[in-house]
Amino acid sequence: STVSTRDVDQLGTFTATVEADITNNIAPQNPARIKKVYVEVGDNVRAGQKLVEMDAVNLNQIKLQMENDKTEFERVDELHKVGGISKSTWDAKKLAYEISKSSYQNLLENTVLTSPISGLVTKRFYDSGDMYNGGTPIYVVEQIHPVKLMVNVSEVLYTKVKKGMDVDVQLDVFGNEKFVGTVKVVHPSIDPSSRTFPVEVHIKNADGRILPGMFARVTFNYGTENRVIVPDRAVVKQTGSADRFVYTCANGIATYKKVNVGQLIGDEYEVIDGLQSGEQVAVTALNRLTNGAEVE
């Protein structure tokens, strides 16, 4: 077969796991009994929606304290306006009221827990009536519009992967269906052990079909190169190594020649170097050929 050149898309495919764009762990600041949980795993929630109600005994106590401090402050405030009390007394009452008001607001936020984002409830670790003791959150809420992929890309592509470029994404669960992703962040660091750099890819996921944890294959297209193309059956893999060879045929002699192959495109290999356009390669009887063998 006489080999020739053609323009070939330069593709790099890497694996990744789907992640939520934002993940929130929903839990109160301090241990308390859970009065009621309102949503289940798999529910879609909106930002500000009530998820959990904690026992309100402490909240009621601090509310009474705040109301008392407010009344005391309003009383001394009136006296201060007519010169009936000192500025230091007025300051002390005002500070007490501000502290109790802040404590009440903080406890209120930790008694009625709401979702800070619109997203999907992916985990629930407690039931109504349980005692929350810290550590594990009550709920995990994840934003999946969009989702993101953290892809470790070979360092040789560092100058070719650009923010804003589109990539093809395939997920094993959906077979050959392709999704469009967009490069959002190219991290400016290379891991010296793996010789890769992290790239963050976002997929809009408007229909919510893509879920965190799915296995993905991300393909970057970074332009075209004019390459020699050779039939895959002409390529010989040397036993015990990753080297590839072909038998070129010229002037009645077969020559065993090392080649650097790239992508497999259907039933052909892209040859990065080692062959020139117009050379002839053997595609049959390779097991009978040796370097320097005479051929017709």
Side-chain angles (χ1 to χ4, degrees):
S1 176
T2 302
V3 300
S4 60
T5 61
R6 70 166 183 259
D7 287 339
V8 177
D9 286 334
Q10 298 302 292
L11 307 176
T13 300
F14 306 92
T15 59
T17 301
V18 177
E19 301 176 23
D21 187 37
I22 300 173
T23 299
N24 280 131
N25 296 316
I26 309 299
Q29 188 173 4
N30 299 307
R33 187 163 300 281
I34 300 169
K35 184 176 181 181
K36 186 173 179 59
V37 293
Y38 288 94
V39 296
E40 296 296 334
V41 172
D43 288 351
N44 286 290
V45 297
R46 64 185 183 279
Q49 181 175 336
K50 182 164 70 172
L51 305 182
V52 187
E53 186 176 347
M54 309 298 291
D55 185 89
V57 172
N58 292 336
L59 179 67
N60 293 334
Q61 290 176 347
I62 195 67
K63 182 180 180 182
L64 291 174
Q65 180 65 49
M66 179 191 70
E67 290 173 347
N68 181 67
D69 288 341
K70 180 181 180 183
T71 301
E72 287 289 316
F73 171 67
E74 289 174 345
R75 183 176 63 82
V76 299
D77 189 47
E78 291 298 322
L79 291 173
H80 180 63
K81 288 177 181 177
V82 297
I85 61 167
S86 66
K87 179 69 164 54
S88 61
T89 301
W90 182 89
D91 287 340
K93 292 296 183 181
K94 183 176 187 298
L95 178 61
Y97 172 51
E98 292 293 338
I99 291 174
S100 62
K101 183 168 67 172
S102 176
S103 298
Y104 172 75
Q105 186 60 42
N106 178 265
L107 194 55
L108 179 62
E109 292 174 355
N110 283 276
T111 301
V112 178
L113 308 182
T114 61
S115 176
I117 60 171
S118 295
L120 180 70
V121 178
T122 56
K123 295 176 184 175
R124 177 167 69 86
F125 295 102
Y126 292 86
D127 293 315
S128 297
D130 285 349
M131 184 69 187
Y132 173 74
N133 294 312
T136 306
I138 299 174
Y139 285 111
V140 176
V141 178
E142 298 183 284
Q143 181 176 296
I144 60 170
H145 309 285
V147 291
K148 67 182 179 184
L149 304 167
M150 293 302 297
V151 189
N152 291 319
V153 180
S154 298
E155 69 171 340
V156 293
L157 302 181
Y158 187 77
T159 60
K160 298 177 180 179
V161 176
K162 305 294 184 184
K163 182 179 178 180
M165 71 185 293
D166 289 338
V167 298
D168 288 335
V169 180
Q170 288 181 276
L171 300 132
D172 283 7
V173 69
F174 296 124
N176 293 325
E177 183 177 356
K178 290 186 179 181
F179 299 84
V180 177
T182 303
V183 174
K184 289 296 182 183
V185 180
V186 178
H187 289 248
S189 61
I190 294 175
D191 186 327
S193 60
S194 65
R195 293 299 172 190
T196 61
F197 63 98
V199 175
E200 185 175 320
V201 173
H202 283 207
I203 307 174
K204 290 182 179 179
N205 196 31
D207 54 10
R209 294 169 63 205
I210 304 174
L211 299 175
M214 289 182 174
F215 183 76
R217 304 175 195 277
V218 184
T219 301
F220 295 82
N221 186 330
Y222 44 94
T224 61
E225 294 284 349
N226 191 257
R227 300 290 199 202
V228 172
I229 301 299
V230 64
D232 62 349
R233 54 192 178 137
V235 178
V236 179
K237 183 179 184 300
Q238 188 175 61
T239 304
S241 77
D243 293 339
R244 300 291 196 277
F245 293 82
V246 297
Y247 284 102
T248 59
C249 301
N251 303 318
I253 299 295
T255 302
Y256 197 50
K257 181 180 289 189
K258 183 178 177 180
V259 291
N260 181 13
V261 299
Q263 306 167 68
L264 178 62
I265 309 164
D267 59 357
E268 297 175 314
Y269 271 110
E270 165 195 25
V271 178
I272 297 173
D273 58 63
L275 277 179
Q276 300 294 324
S277 178
E279 289 191 271
Q280 288 193 320
V281 296
V283 294
T284 61
L286 301 185
N287 61 327
R288 293 164 53 197
L289 288 177
T290 59
N291 188 42
E294 296 183 356
V295 295
E296 294 181 0

